[in-house]
């Protein structure tokens, strides 16, 4: 097991304050660490933008735990041990003729870390990445092994866990036969038309993203449509008619979500069919994203409030645009996971990739948060300023999660400043 200094998160906006970082290479070594003095926190692939993964005690980095990916134990399921990233998992699944239902924009993120924060991709009929979890295995603060499966009493509370319940050492996920997807980018759709037909816009494909810099309030920049193949011919005709009503044009060269950036890092577009894991993320696995130079915030708004929320953001465009790199709007299906931002309701994620100007972003966020409906739930892994009482109020099962955390970790060895702010 190696012990190193803590370093920074991917975005470089946070230097972990941990007094030490350990990288156990086996479950036995992990148990040895947990037998020592806390507090502890687990570190996945460092892609969160706030201090959710930080501690003043020992950071347990999972990258050296042995990885196994086994799709042979149960039909329609894959069991993973250790802390693989989605890209690694997706390539192994595809090689075995299998697929996940969805992926986030970047394949470099650890599965356990994404699940812990309710990370999502896009799709009216596709839930967050956590909603694919069938079973989750922890080693808790007391060194005890606990596995919860879908249907068990505490399961729905334990999946989106904010890293507060212990170390996740294995996950079982739903899988399906591999499939192909074609990705097409449409440019400059009219905002009025997008908002007038928002339900039809997000139904244009299995995963749809609207990208805008808010430099214009008349037109968004790009509409990325990922269509699971085959597409029925009447659906293709309806799509073409809608694109015409939006006043959008199909891109004839590959695009980057940021206007003017070369698209080398992006997954293939122009309607070229390809395997699911090479189309669902926006960025390619073999492209190593440069460290940071950005911050992210995101608010998940119930579907019924989405158009009003987008109108509100449009009204703030002049305030948002100077700090913004790009805004992405996606849909996510409801789930029943207590701390999932999609708990109990289909949601629309309004995401902001900011310039890395932390103080200015944090000064603007209260204005954005006040303009969004009171139902908007901030992404757990991104920058937000919504007050803790307000966050708790937006989660009907909050008290149940607090009780679950108490049972898993009675001494609070996995508490950190982030969970303390939330009253956990
Ligand atoms: C470029 C970029 C693109 C992104 N795209 C998306 C996107 O498309 N959709 C979206 O929803 N989010 C997105 N995110 C946010 C990201 O998915 C989340 O912040 C996610 O939690 C990061 O996972 P991680 O492993 O890097 O977690 P870390 O930041 O390392 O940790 C996050 C949390 O997970 C916990 N954790 C990690 N591993 C374990 C474990 N084994 N056991 C217990 N707890 C654990 C940590 O303790 C912490 O609480 C993006 C982030 C970046 C930087």
């Amino acid at each position: 097991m190696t012990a190193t200094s803590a370093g920074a998160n991917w975005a470089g906006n946070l230097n972990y304050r941990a007094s030490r970082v350990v990288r156990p290479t086996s479950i036995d070594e992990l148990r040895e660490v947990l037998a020592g003095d806390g507090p502890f926190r687990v570190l996945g692939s460092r892609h969160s933008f706030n201090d959710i993964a930080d501690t003043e005690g020992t950071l347990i980095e999972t990258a050296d735990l042995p990885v196994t990916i086994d799709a042979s134990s149960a039909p329609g399921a894959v069991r993973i041990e250790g802390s693989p990233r989605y890209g690694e998992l997706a390539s192994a699944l595809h090689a075995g003729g299998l697929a996940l239902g969805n992926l986030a924009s970047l394949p470099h993120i650890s599965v356990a870390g994404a699940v812990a924060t309710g990370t999502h991709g896009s799709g009216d009929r596709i839930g967050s990445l956590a909603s694919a979890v069938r079973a989750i295995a922890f080693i808790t603060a007391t060194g005890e092994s606990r596995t919860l499966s879908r249907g068990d009493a505490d399961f729905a509370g334990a999946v989106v866990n904010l890293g507060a319940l212990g170390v996740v050492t294995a996950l079982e996920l739903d899988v399906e036969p591999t499939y192909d997807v074609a990705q097409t980018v449409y440019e400059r759709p009219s905002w009025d038309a997008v908002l007038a037909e928002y339900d039809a816009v997000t139904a244009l494909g299995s995963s749809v993203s609207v990208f805008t810099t808010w430099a214009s309030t008349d037109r968004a920049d790009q509409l990325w449509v990922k269509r699971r193949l085959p597409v029925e011919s009447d659906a293709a005709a309806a799509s073409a008619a809608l694109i015409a009503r939006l006043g959008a044009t199909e891109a004839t060269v590959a695009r980057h979500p940021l206007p003017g950036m070369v698209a080398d890092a992006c997954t293939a577009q122009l309607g070229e069919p390809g395997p699911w894991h090479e189309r669902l993320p926006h960025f390619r696995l073999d492209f190593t994203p440069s460290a940071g130079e950005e911050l992210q915030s995101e608010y998940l708004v119930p579907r019924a409030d989405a158009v009003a929320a987008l109108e509100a953001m449009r009204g703030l465009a002049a305030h948002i645009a100077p700090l913004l790199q790009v805004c992405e709007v996606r849909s996510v299906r409801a789930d029943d996971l207590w701390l999932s931002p999609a708990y109990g309701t289909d949601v629309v994620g309004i995401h902001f990739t900011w310039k890395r100007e932390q103080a200015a972003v944090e000064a603007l966020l209260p204005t954005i948060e006040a303009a969004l409906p009171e139902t908007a739930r901030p992404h757990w892994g991104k920058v937000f300023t919504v007050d803790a009482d307000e966050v708790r109020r937006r989660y009907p099962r909050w008290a149940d999660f607090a009780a679950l955390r108490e049972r898993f970790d009675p001494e609070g060895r996995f508490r950190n400043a982030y969970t303390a702010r939330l009253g956990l």
Side-chain angles (χ1 to χ4, degrees), residues 49-105:
F49 292 86
N50 58 35
D51 59 349
I52 188 169
D54 200 12
T55 176
E56 288 177 355
T58 299
L59 259 185
I60 303 172
E61 196 156 16
T62 51
D64 288 352
L65 284 174
V67 170
T68 60
I69 297 175
D70 176 13
S72 65
S73 54
V78 63
R79 179 180 167 80
I80 59 173
E81 293 177 352
S83 191
R85 298 175 185 233
Y86 272 99
E88 191 181 350
L89 171 62
S91 301
L93 285 175
H94 180 64
L98 295 171
L100 298 169
N102 206 358
L103 288 169
S105 62

Side-chain angles (χ1 to χ4, degrees), residues 217-234:
T217 51
D218 292 336
R219 291 192 174 266
D221 289 289
Q222 299 173 7
L223 187 58
W224 285 42
V225 179
K226 300 173 197 268
R227 296 184 174 96
R228 195 164 161 158
L229 300 175
V231 175
E232 305 292 329
S233 57
D234 52 348

Side-chain angles (χ1 to χ4, degrees), residues 330-388:
R330 292 175 278 185
S331 59
V332 187
R333 196 195 61 201
D335 60 48
D336 66 350
L337 305 172
W338 301 351
L339 291 198
S340 165
Y343 175 81
T345 173
D346 291 344
V347 289
V348 168
I350 305 179
H351 161 95
F352 304 87
T353 300
W354 303 110
K355 295 174 186 166
R356 209 176 68 187
E357 294 180 29
Q358 184 101 25
V361 168
E362 285 180 0
L364 175 62
L365 288 182
T367 306
I368 290 176
E369 290 163 357
L372 288 169
E374 288 181 356
T375 46
R377 294 168 174 155
H379 191 302
W380 295 117
K382 302 184 181 179
V383 183
F384 63 91
T385 60
V386 181
D387 144 87

